[in-house]
Amino acid sequence: MDTTSFPSDLDIASAATLQPMDEVAAQLGIGSDHLEPYGRDVAKIDLGFLDEPRDGHRAKYVVVTAVTPTPLGEGKTTTSVGLAQGLQRLGKRAVVALRQPSMGPTFGIKGGAAGGGYSQVVPMERLNMHLTGDFHAVTAAHNLLAAMVDNHLHHGNALGIDVRNITWRRVLDVNDRALRNVVIGLGAREDGVVRETGFDITAASEIMVLLTLAKSLQDLRERLGRIVIGYTTDGSSVTAEDLGAAGAMAAMLKDAIKPNLLQTLEGGPAIIHCGPFGNIATGTSSVTADLIAMQGSDYAITEAGFGADMGAERFFNVKCRVSGLKPDVAVIVVTVRALKAHSGNYVIKPGKPLPPGLLEENPSDVEAGLANLRKHVEIVRRFGVQPVVAINAFPQDHDSEHAVIRRYCNEVGVRTAVSRHVAEGGAGARELAEAVVQAAHEPSSFEFLYPLDLPLEQKIEAVATQIYGADGIDVSPAAAKALKDYERLGFGGLPVVIAKTHLSISSDPSLKGAPRGWRMPVREVRAAVGAGYVYAICGDMRTMPGLSASPNAERIDVGADGNITGLS
């Protein structure tokens, strides 16, 4: 493929001929009575579809994960779309369920996040900006609760909330580092109580995760009520229900809980719903999206953020517990450039050209980085799921480098396929689709990593040692106290999420490959009770990104004809 003449993602998406939405929905067995149009090319799916009679058919459930990515990402989304297109080329009923992109990265350094090349979800512009307003609904519901917290303080603080122990911040779907730490309530007495707080990006909101995991409007309402906004001076938790905010928040989210239906460039169905952060949350699309996909297809493909150590582990331990679904296959996306980076010989920086040596034919560097792929295969197999390795091919790859990956996979008995979906669409993903079909019909023995009645600290240690390969964990005094308090408050039966870097299997982003001989520091622990998990913070996690020196927003514009430019 000549990259100098290859059209941009936006050009490809703009040239697409979209299928009528009722025809796209019909591929999933969704009739007009469960379809709510949002313009000509997007629709919401009413959850009543899940109550339709079933014929006992069970789709194959496929999760797409990856090796530890470089800062540029290795193409999980486009591989997910390409796989769905490839399966459709084989005559299978396939649907892909993906997260909705946050506008923060869209206008920041990443640009659009709807797939790439000829494996995209369209309409691209609507998907990357606003869509059906779900992100705005989450933003509004989150900030309503924040406003009611401060209103309660202003009117006397009858619940006895400790102003120094309020954990609920505000959110905005924009990268804005200046809002990370703010002081509110300045001015006259009637302007509120002065206190320190801050903003996170909307994707980091607990409400976004909660929406992802809720299986019905009633479930959503109950989860909202369980949100803990802070604590009293005697250590008791204060919830959204205590503040009387949960009902109004649920009302604001009653449409946002319905998944969005779009289509791939080849006219196949794509369900887009929710977008929780991959660093501190589940990093997956919604449970409802997956349940709809399973009910209306032969192959339901979904994506989990970052590598198998993060996205897949949370998908298995958190999302699958809620949904009750058992995955049949985990596709591990790998690129030559990622394995070369894990050799330790190259440094890849976003916004900078790739190191020239990275583009040269060098099978030995790929070989040196195989330890990372090996670890991710082990992680998937630890959960009893069949792995398939998808080599996301780039034009600058060499056959000898692909051969190194294939040879390793053959040695350990893992199916592998080179996928050229970006350049060729579904036709370029046929080999991958065939491998997934074969793996999906083999026996699997899915199991969780830990039982829920295990103490929180032991759950964290299980993830650190059995998934990441740490020798153990070092819990700070503050984190130890929080864990003890959460057990006392009745949160001990929740699963755990580890908030750490995505650039290493370890908690240190500088450690590449499959690090050994390290211990994981647990510096802080927080409870996302409404979402239904406790998360341990094991690094410097930015929940409000900043813009780069030359953000993508500078290149985005709209012409007099309404066509958007610069999005990809």
Side-chain angles (χ1 to χ4, degrees):
M1 181 178 72
D2 180 7
T3 56
T4 60
S5 61
F6 195 73
S8 71
D9 291 348
L10 183 56
D11 288 341
I12 293 171
S14 299
T17 300
L18 273 61
Q19 303 302 310
M21 290 309 297
D22 57 346
E23 295 182 12
V24 177
Q27 297 179 54
L28 292 171
I30 299 174
S32 59
D33 52 335
H34 293 307
L35 204 63
E36 301 178 4
Y38 272 66
R40 293 188 295 269
D41 43 28
V42 176
K44 275 195 170 290
I45 305 170
D46 186 83
L47 296 188
F49 173 71
L50 293 174
D51 298 325
E52 291 287 295
R54 304 188 188 188
D55 57 6
H57 164 80
R58 181 190 180 277
K60 297 298 183 181
Y61 194 29
V62 182
V63 60
V64 178
T65 182
V67 296
T68 303
T70 68
L72 305 179
E74 307 317 308
K76 287 192 309 301
T77 301
T78 189
T79 301
S80 299
V81 177
L83 173 58
Q85 293 174 153
L87 286 165
Q88 288 158 358
R89 294 287 184 112
L90 298 180
K92 310 296 184 182
R93 290 191 309 153
V95 58
V96 61
L98 301 170
R99 289 178 291 172
Q100 179 181 339
S102 164
M103 287 196 297
T106 295
F107 290 101
I109 197 167
K110 186 175 183 180
Y118 290 95
S119 289
Q120 294 187 60
V121 175
V122 286
M124 179 191 183
E125 302 97 315
R126 290 196 62 186
L127 173 56
N128 284 291
M129 293 191 291
H130 308 298
L131 194 55
T132 56
D134 294 347
F135 266 61
H136 301 312
V138 170
T139 301
H142 184 114
N143 291 338
L144 170 65
L145 179 55
M148 292 187 72
V149 170
D150 285 294
N151 185 60
H152 184 84
L153 298 177
H154 177 70
H155 288 290
N157 193 10
L159 292 172
I161 300 171
D162 183 352
V163 178
R164 297 163 300 179
N165 201 6
I166 295 173
T167 55
W168 196 254
R169 291 154 56 93
R170 286 166 167 79
V171 297
L172 192 67
D173 196 29
V174 173
N175 289 4
D176 192 349
R177 63 173 56 83
L179 294 178
R180 288 171 182 163
N181 299 285
V182 301
V183 177
I184 60 174
L186 296 175
R189 183 180 181 85
E190 59 268 23
D191 292 331
V193 175
V194 177
R195 67 181 184 90
E196 293 184 34
T197 183
F199 280 76
D200 300 320
I201 197 165
T202 299
S205 168
E206 182 181 344
I207 294 177
M208 182 66 79
V209 197
L210 183 154
L211 189 67
T212 302
L213 298 174
K215 292 192 288 186
S216 66
L217 190 58
Q218 181 61 33
D219 186 19
L220 173 67
R221 171 63 180 80
E222 292 172 359
R223 288 174 178 271
L224 289 168
R226 293 197 294 267
I227 289 174
V228 173
I229 61 90
Y231 302 87
T232 63
T233 52
D234 65 1
S236 300
S237 58
V238 180
T239 67
E241 199 70 66
D242 294 331
L243 289 165
M249 294 160 68
M252 298 173 79
L253 295 166
K254 72 178 184 69
D255 291 322
I257 195 175
K258 303 171 186 176
N260 306 294
L261 180 64
L262 287 82
Q263 61 188 282
T264 70
L265 281 172
E266 298 182 4
I271 305 176
I272 310 296
H273 199 212
C274 302
F277 242 28
N279 289 91
I280 65 165
T282 54
T284 65
S285 62
S286 73
V287 166
T288 52
D290 287 8
L291 290 172
I292 289 171
M294 291 289 286
Q295 186 161 323
S297 70
D298 297 323
Y299 291 84
I301 301 141
T302 192
E303 176 193 345
F306 301 132
D309 58 317
M310 296 183 69
E313 181 273 318
R314 297 169 193 178
F315 173 84
F316 296 142
N317 278 325
V318 179
K319 187 178 180 182
C320 289
R321 285 187 195 272
V322 173
S323 69
L325 299 175
K326 295 182 178 180
D328 298 286
V329 179
V331 174
I332 304 173
V333 178
V334 63
T335 61
V336 165
R337 76 181 181 195
L339 293 188
K340 284 183 174 180
H342 283 292
S343 73
N345 297 330
Y346 307 96
V347 176
I348 299 176
K349 295 183 178 180
K352 302 290 185 182
L354 290 172
L358 193 78
L359 306 181
E360 297 174 359
E361 184 172 8
N362 196 331
S364 62
D365 277 347
V366 178
E367 184 86 36
L370 279 177
N372 189 265
L373 174 58
R374 182 179 299 110
K375 182 61 177 174
H376 288 287
V377 169
E378 291 173 358
I379 290 170
V380 168
R381 283 178 160 170
R382 170 63 183 79
F383 288 94
V385 179
Q386 291 285 351
V388 171
V389 172
I391 303 173
N392 182 17
F394 284 68
Q396 61 267 31
D397 293 354
H398 301 274
D399 290 342
S400 63
E401 296 170 333
H402 290 168
V404 171
I405 302 172
R406 284 190 183 275
R407 186 165 57 250
Y408 159 72
C409 291
N410 288 336
E411 290 172 356
V412 297
V414 174
R415 288 183 175 84
T416 185
V418 175
S419 192
R420 305 184 189 278
H421 48 274
V422 173
E424 302 172 17
R430 285 184 68 101
E431 182 188 0
L432 175 59
E434 289 168 353
V436 167
V437 169
Q438 293 169 6
H441 286 85
E442 290 186 349
S444 62
S445 54
F446 175 70
E447 62 177 3
F448 299 118
L449 180 66
Y450 51 77
L452 289 181
D453 58 4
L454 201 67
L456 290 170
E457 184 170 336
Q458 291 183 35
K459 292 173 190 171
I460 296 169
E461 187 170 33
V463 176
T465 57
Q466 298 183 47
I467 301 301
Y468 306 157
D471 290 341
I473 62 175
D474 297 319
V475 183
S476 72
K481 180 181 182 305
L483 288 170
K484 183 178 179 180
D485 288 343
Y486 293 157
E487 298 278 2
R488 173 180 57 83
L489 291 166
F491 309 154
L494 298 176
V496 297
V497 165
I498 313 296
K500 74 172 187 72
T501 180
H502 62 283
L503 298 175
S504 173
I505 293 177
S506 75
S507 55
D508 181 348
S510 68
L511 299 179
K512 302 304 179 184
R516 295 176 180 237
W518 62 281
R519 295 180 64 83
M520 188 177 78
V522 180
R523 65 177 180 83
E524 187 180 351
V525 182
R526 299 177 186 173
V529 183
Y533 59 82
V534 169
Y535 61 106
I537 299 175
C538 305
D540 185 15
M541 295 294 104
R542 290 291 189 190
T543 51
M544 170 55 84
L547 293 172
S548 66
S550 179
N552 199 50
E554 295 177 353
R555 293 172 284 281
I556 295 175
D557 208 339
V558 60
D561 56 2
N563 289 327
I564 293 172
T565 58
L567 190 56
S568 61

